[in-house]
Amino acid sequence: MTVKQQKNGSWLCHIDKKGFKRIRRVFADESDANIFNRETLASMNAKRDQITDSRTLRELINLWYKYHGVNLSDNVRTKSILDTMANAMGNPKASALSAEHFVDYRFERINNGLSAKTFNNHHGYLSAMFNKLKKLKVIDYDNPIEGIEFIKLQQRQLTYLSVDQINTLMDDIQHHCVNKSTWYVAQLCVRTGARWGEAERLLRQQLHTNRVTFVKTKSKKLRTVPLDPVFYKKLISFVGNKNPSERVFTNCIGAFRRAVKRTGIELPTGQNSHILRHSFASHFVINGGNILTLQKILGHADIHTTLKYAHLAPDHLQDAILYGPLHD
């Protein structure tokens, strides 16, 4: 907490108090800066003294799960991650969790091999939990880790399969997979950009008039995608006389992964089950598809998520050639 004169003659009040957002304010004279500094610190101390909530982090996680988390599609896994975080930090009093405590925990986890991307995901879960509990008025204090920035990551180019690789993979699945659901689920993913789980859990009633409607999606919204009539006819033949509420396929992600391994196609860690979704999106853009249409097909809530495929568009950044300083 300092008041310091700047080169231009003004006075900077810089307040950096643990547990609160950093404040920087410029004043014309020193007395105003000092008054602001004293009043702000007094307000911060009073606010900290008012926080009497003694519940532990684990107790808040349980309340979050009861009031909100249980309704999430990935609720059990998310709660397990939050519980693990709480235990690793010593299950502190939640209202007393400091930025320093959290950053020390982050250093330890990253130093022990957890990837920065995975930690950012965990960081997001915990921060969202505090924000939700504040919104629900379960807690009356601000998110204690709100001001902590996520680790900046080097953007990775998503891998996608060439047309030849897709054909090779589909041929292997068709001729070597005992579980016949595998070929149809893989086809749905590469034809519609569906996530593997969305296609694998498909019910008979989700297929209608050359279309498939995906439910229980990540965005919680239904989305309907048309299918090629020839493929749709094969799919309906495979479905047979199942009732509307019956599952069309059996679980087959293991069979798909073994097929990828048999073909020798090498994929980056973590992209195995999503490779067909990425391949659909990539070829959609390469072939001139509209990025806004792709957003709707993939079910992305935020267009920025879809824009990671934009660099594949045929005319992407062509202005660099048109308006650059050198022309042949």
Side-chain angles (χ1 to χ4, degrees), residues 178-293:
V178 176
N179 188 337
K180 299 304 178 183
S181 291
T182 314
W183 187 84
Y184 288 96
V185 174
Q187 285 283 329
L188 276 171
C189 290
V190 83
R191 288 173 180 271
T192 67
R195 298 176 180 86
W196 187 273
E198 293 172 341
E200 192 180 55
R201 295 190 302 267
L202 202 70
L203 304 181
R204 173 63 183 89
Q205 61 197 14
Q206 293 171 240
L207 295 170
H208 51 93
T209 58
N210 292 329
R211 287 173 169 77
V212 56
T213 296
F214 295 109
V215 302
K216 295 183 179 179
T217 63
K218 191 174 181 180
S219 66
K220 304 295 186 184
K221 295 181 179 179
L222 301 179
R223 69 180 191 278
T224 299
V225 184
L227 294 171
D228 177 84
V230 176
F231 170 71
Y232 184 80
K233 187 176 180 180
K234 289 181 182 178
L235 178 57
I236 293 301
S237 177
F238 175 79
V239 171
N241 297 319
K242 291 183 183 294
N243 293 322
S245 59
E246 283 188 81
R247 277 187 58 174
V248 174
F249 309 116
T250 56
N251 294 343
C252 49
I253 184 62
F256 174 73
R257 287 171 176 157
R258 289 189 291 273
V260 172
K261 190 173 182 179
R262 281 195 302 270
T263 60
I265 297 173
E266 295 186 5
L267 302 177
T269 302
Q271 289 193 28
N272 205 318
S273 63
H274 265 35
I275 189 61
L276 298 178
R277 178 173 167 86
H278 294 324
S279 298
F280 166 83
S282 299
H283 286 284
F284 181 93
V285 173
I286 289 170
N287 292 328
N290 181 278
I291 202 74
L292 293 176
T293 302

Side-chain angles (χ1 to χ4, degrees), residues 13 15 17 20-21 23 25 27 33-46:
C13 177
I15 302 175
K17 190 174 179 64
F20 294 90
K21 289 183 179 180
I23 297 174
R25 190 75 61 84
F27 296 87
N34 282 322
I35 291 172
F36 176 80
N37 186 44
R38 287 195 301 272
E39 291 180 347
T40 302
L41 288 176
S43 175
M44 286 179 171
N45 290 331

